[in-house]
Amino acid sequence: MKTDLTDTTASKINKALVLGRRAIGTPAVGMVLTLVIVTDEENAYDALKAANEASREHPSRTLVVIKRVSRSPRDRTKSRLDAEVRLGAEAGTGETVVLRLYGEVTNHAQSVVLPLLLPDAPVVVWWPVNAPLDPAKDPLGSLAQRRVTDTYASEAPVRELNARADAYTPGDTDLSWTRITPWRSMLAAALDQVTTCDVDAVEVEGEEFNPSCELLAMWLADRLDVPVKRSLSSGPGLTAVRLDTSCGPIVLDRADGTLATLSIQGQPDRAVALKRRDTAELMAEELRRLDPDDTYASALRYGLDRLNATKDTAEAAAPGGTATAVKTAPAAKDSPAGVAEKALAKKAAADRAAAE
């Protein structure tokens, strides 16, 4: 069931929702949250499709906020709100309201959304594209317990990651982080099988400008406290992770984006299902937990600058200054160059003493 409302108000939208539920006999008590999607007209269809599929696991009221650009200065001074109210099969297992804002009201979207929130239910705000640099301070983001962004959709993902780290507030999350959940689970399970071994170095391989690769590298560096090398491949996405341990290498290799191979020294290779997930699956995972993700916060705050500095230090300490056996950077006094320098200094002091 679909109801179109032109030049309407939040009160009329609420009335349309009540009348629509009565018409199709669907109560609102089964919905567990309000999902607010802030997007543009170009990306609204894909975002709404993903939200409808995710609603099969998390029945919710979905509010799609589309800020339309007015063509003339006169139109920009006028305010108008158009809405589509969707119930039943057209709205997944919940309710959907598509809000199109024109003119001055685009600067006050929170005043339109606030009366439409489900009472006593958590609020999640999702920006599929063009997320604010500080989601918690955004007028719509301030209404939510969870704020979902996607740095992969930004023009400069690495710069966006740095901005997310600077502005992080408990409740922020990123679909680029959600994409690596299966990788983190598989790597943790692999390390559980070699608990007596020490990890010396890590290499993360993936396509360029993919923030999931950087996030996985920062997570490994933060948790294992070892140098992590970031290398490039043609993709798709993450393609391999190599852990150099005292018991031999552990390699998780996924060349085709679907099936991975897990190799552990002394054990037979295993095929692992590690397919790339679509947006609906990612959103369904994010909506399962509404508390702050402390692991994401710790990895994000580790920082790309610190990751690169650790890598450079390890490369400088490796023989010949290459990145091939990247191990934990030894202190300067323990490096081959440091030992030689100390020996030369000691010999020179002895010669001076003999001469005196």
Side-chain angles (χ1 to χ4, degrees):
M1 179 179 178
K2 180 179 175 182
T3 305
D4 291 326
L5 301 172
T6 304
D7 198 5
T8 186
T9 63
S11 177
K12 292 179 181 178
I13 295 171
N14 268 320
K15 289 180 181 178
L17 285 168
V18 174
L19 292 175
R21 284 199 300 268
R22 289 177 181 173
I24 63 176
T26 303
V29 293
M31 289 180 285
V32 297
L33 59 89
T34 303
L35 175 62
V36 182
I37 305 174
V38 187
T39 185
D40 53 23
E41 199 72 62
E42 179 183 359
N43 296 280
Y45 175 81
D46 291 335
L48 189 52
K49 181 181 178 182
N52 286 343
E53 292 179 15
S55 72
R56 302 183 188 283
E57 184 176 338
H58 310 278
S60 58
R61 173 176 289 180
T62 302
L63 306 177
V64 185
V65 179
I66 302 174
K67 299 179 181 181
R68 301 296 298 268
V69 177
S70 301
R71 297 183 178 179
S72 67
R74 182 178 298 174
D75 290 338
R76 285 194 286 271
T77 61
K78 299 177 182 178
S79 295
R80 193 176 95 229
L81 170 63
D82 295 342
E84 295 178 19
V85 178
R86 304 178 185 180
L87 299 168
E90 294 192 26
T93 58
E95 302 173 342
T96 298
V97 181
V98 181
L99 304 166
R100 290 184 171 86
L101 284 61
Y102 300 82
E104 185 64 26
V105 74
T106 59
N107 298 322
H108 306 281
Q110 71 280 6
S111 63
V112 177
V113 169
L114 189 59
L116 301 176
L117 301 178
L118 287 172
D120 301 322
V123 178
V124 178
V125 178
W126 172 32
W127 291 270
V129 293
N130 302 324
L133 292 179
D134 192 345
K137 291 185 178 179
D138 182 83
L140 285 172
S142 63
L143 301 175
Q145 284 76 40
R146 289 279 279 182
R147 295 164 293 276
V148 184
T149 59
D150 190 356
T151 51
Y152 186 76
S154 64
E155 293 183 2
V158 174
R159 186 176 62 192
E160 195 87 0
L161 276 179
N162 287 325
R164 293 279 173 268
D166 293 338
Y168 176 80
T169 302
D172 291 353
T173 191
D174 187 348
L175 291 186
S176 294
W177 171 256
T178 316
R179 289 185 181 96
I180 63 174
T181 299
W183 285 84
R184 294 190 295 118
S185 300
M186 192 57 59
L187 291 170
L191 288 174
D192 282 343
Q193 300 180 44
V194 289
T195 54
T196 59
C197 304
D198 296 326
V199 179
D200 299 321
V202 179
E203 181 178 0
V204 176
E205 180 186 275
E207 63 184 1
E208 193 174 6
F209 306 120
N210 189 319
S212 294
C213 301
E214 268 70 29
L215 282 168
L216 183 61
M218 289 190 291
W219 174 70
L220 288 166
D222 181 45
R223 291 294 166 180
L224 299 177
D225 193 23
V226 297
V228 178
K229 177 187 175 185
R230 169 74 165 93
S231 57
L232 301 181
S233 70
S234 57
L238 269 163
T239 52
V241 175
R242 178 187 177 90
L243 306 175
D244 292 332
T245 75
S246 57
C247 302
I250 298 175
V251 181
L252 184 59
D253 189 355
R254 185 190 67 178
D256 60 358
T258 303
L259 191 66
T261 301
L262 177 63
S263 304
I264 301 177
Q265 186 77 21
Q267 300 183 19
D269 291 351
R270 307 169 204 177
V272 179
L274 206 62
K275 73 179 184 69
R276 304 189 75 194
R277 298 180 294 168
D278 59 24
T279 306
E281 292 180 81
L282 299 176
M283 283 303 299
E285 178 184 329
E286 279 302 329
L287 296 178
R288 288 182 198 130
R289 55 174 301 170
L290 299 178
D291 56 317
D293 191 340
D294 295 331
T295 306
Y296 165 68
S298 181
L300 186 65
R301 285 170 172 161
Y302 185 89
L304 287 171
D305 294 339
R306 185 178 170 193
L307 180 70
N308 294 332
T310 305
K311 179 190 72 173
D312 294 341
T313 302
E315 289 178 357
T322 63
T324 55
V326 190
K327 292 186 177 293
T328 306
K333 65 179 182 179
D334 296 329
S335 65
V339 172
E341 187 176 348
K342 279 183 69 176
L344 289 172
K346 187 176 181 180
K347 184 177 183 300
D351 291 342
R352 286 196 300 270
E356 292 174 356

